Amino acid sequence: MAIAKNWVPDRRDVIWIDCNPQAGREMKDVHPLLVLSPRSFNERTGIVIGLPMTTAAYNEGNPFAIRFSGARNRVSFILTHQPKSFDWRIQSAKSHPMKHVPEDVFTLACESLNQIIAISE
């Protein structure tokens, strides 16, 4: 899939990103990432802030994993306890076939992250 030269990830987008290097229990290799930061920030800084996503079934009991029906109705999880920032250009980010998560799923992910870091009351 060719990405337009002026493509920039935007809030609520799902992108592919290389999570390496990683350490400990962090995700590694290429995974989907739910973008939290707005396009204007991502474009200006070259950094994207987001939450990694996985289809690993062991996340079913994880209270910080938002379960939803992802691509091809496959069960997916947004890991709200692992917020990440990446240089999306260097990490070769590209658009994921899912494009976006539904608005209600995005809201749940943000609410879950807020319970962890209490950025807003």
Side-chain angles (χ1 to χ4, degrees):
M1 172 187 202
I3 298 293
K5 190 173 185 152
N6 60 352
W7 175 81
V8 177
D10 199 1
R11 180 174 280 150
R12 210 168 61 96
D13 284 356
V14 177
I15 63 172
W16 288 112
I17 195 106
D18 187 349
C19 298
N20 292 330
Q22 64 78 231
R25 298 192 65 178
E26 295 175 340
M27 293 179 81
K28 64 180 179 179
D29 302 325
V30 176
H31 279 278
L33 183 82
L34 172 59
V35 177
L36 299 176
S37 50
R39 177 186 165 99
S40 58
F41 173 86
N42 302 336
E43 185 172 38
R44 178 173 289 248
T45 65
I47 301 292
V48 66
I49 300 169
L51 300 171
M53 300 169 61
T54 184
T55 56
Y58 61 79
N59 284 292
E60 191 69 51
N62 180 345
F64 306 110
I66 302 299
R67 183 184 197 273
F68 73 104
S69 183
R72 293 171 287 202
N73 289 323
R74 189 169 182 192
V75 172
S76 297
F77 300 92
I78 300 167
L79 304 181
T80 63
H81 64 296
Q82 290 191 37
K84 305 282 185 195
S85 64
F86 294 102
D87 183 319
W88 62 271
R89 293 178 180 119
I90 297 295
Q91 296 300 101
S92 302
K94 59 185 174 188
S95 184
H96 187 279
M98 191 183 309
K99 301 288 186 210
H100 311 283
V101 296
E103 188 71 42
D104 61 327
V105 172
F106 183 78
T107 299
L108 282 173
C110 291
E111 288 171 354
S112 180
L113 176 60
N114 191 52
Q115 288 178 6
I116 298 167
I117 62 174
I119 199 161
S120 65
E121 297 292 323

